Amino acid sequence: VLDAAVSMASVDGLEAMTLARLAEATSVSKSGLFAHWPDKEALQLAVVAHAVEGWTRHIVTPAFAAPRGVRRLWALHERRMEFYAGGVLPGGCFFVATEAEYDDRPGPVRDVLAAAINDWLGVIKTMAEQAVQLGELRPDTDVGQLTFEIEAHGHAVVTLGRLLRAERSAAYGRKAVLDRLRSLSPVPELLPKE
């Protein structure tokens, strides 16, 4: 049920999701869903948590198989590009679909969504800091700026790829981050050439 909810929210957002729509999509009775989530907000909170679990399973955990440093940072972005290219979610990305819904809307759903996105940015930043510590990124690397750029390119891949049907957006997003990492690395041979 939560897999279906994350998929639906990746297209329509969390506000459009109702227990009735979810019951219809999953062939589960509405009363059966009420047994798990007494109201829409409880469902939305569960969906955000489930989206975080999926993101971690598909993107973060596989990236940790790469060696610490610039290769792990690159693997994180590469897994994200593969996630989008693979069409895991019909809307491309749960988080891109829901950020605009909640950026100005206070409440518990916004709070958990913001915390999840902040945690994701923290993963990118930590990996960049480790790459600096290992001498695989220049010591003067602004890891906050680099984190922002990596996130912005990932975000653009989803938005432009879906809204404009820009077929090359994933390739552009991949190349932009790869070029940036290679330009900041004293050991660019650790990264793919293309």
Side-chain angles (χ1 to χ4, degrees):
V1 170
L2 287 174
D3 286 342
V6 170
S7 291
M8 288 172 63
S10 78
V11 175
D12 300 323
L14 282 169
E15 276 305 302
M17 182 181 307
T18 64
L19 289 172
R21 280 189 70 207
L22 191 56
E24 183 181 324
T26 59
S27 300
V28 174
S29 72
K30 194 173 169 184
S31 61
L33 294 178
F34 270 117
H36 294 286
W37 305 286
D39 57 37
K40 185 174 181 175
E41 185 176 273
L43 173 62
Q44 291 170 328
L45 293 170
V47 172
V48 173
H50 195 69
V52 169
E53 289 172 18
W55 188 263
T56 302
R57 183 176 64 254
H58 287 284
I59 297 166
V60 179
T61 301
F64 273 90
R68 280 182 65 206
V70 73
R71 290 170 287 186
R72 186 174 288 175
L73 181 59
W74 169 246
L76 189 70
H77 185 69
E78 186 82 310
R79 296 297 82 75
R80 184 180 189 181
M81 295 298 99
E82 289 172 0
F83 180 84
Y84 296 155
V88 176
L89 294 175
C93 181
F94 170 86
F95 297 100
V96 171
T98 57
E99 284 174 1
E101 271 188 299
Y102 287 92
D103 59 354
D104 292 318
R105 182 179 295 165
V109 177
R110 180 194 188 279
D111 294 346
V112 297
L113 187 59
I117 293 166
N118 196 50
D119 288 348
W120 163 246
L121 295 174
V123 169
I124 299 171
K125 186 175 181 185
T126 297
M127 288 185 181
E129 289 168 343
Q130 290 171 349
V132 170
Q133 292 164 0
L134 291 168
E136 295 180 3
L137 289 177
R138 291 191 325 242
D140 64 341
T141 299
D142 182 338
V143 294
Q145 177 68 35
L146 181 58
T147 298
F148 182 87
E149 291 173 21
I150 291 171
E151 176 60 13
H153 287 300
H155 209 283
V157 165
V158 175
T159 304
L160 297 178
R162 304 207 54 83
L163 182 64
L164 303 179
R165 302 289 183 231
E167 295 174 10
R168 301 264 318 138
S169 64
Y172 292 149
R174 184 183 184 280
K175 184 176 182 337
V177 172
L178 181 58
D179 288 350
R180 182 70 167 124
L181 292 178
R182 287 180 63 79
S183 75
L184 290 171
S185 182
V187 284
E189 61 273 12
L190 293 177
L191 294 162
K193 290 186 179 175
E194 291 184 9

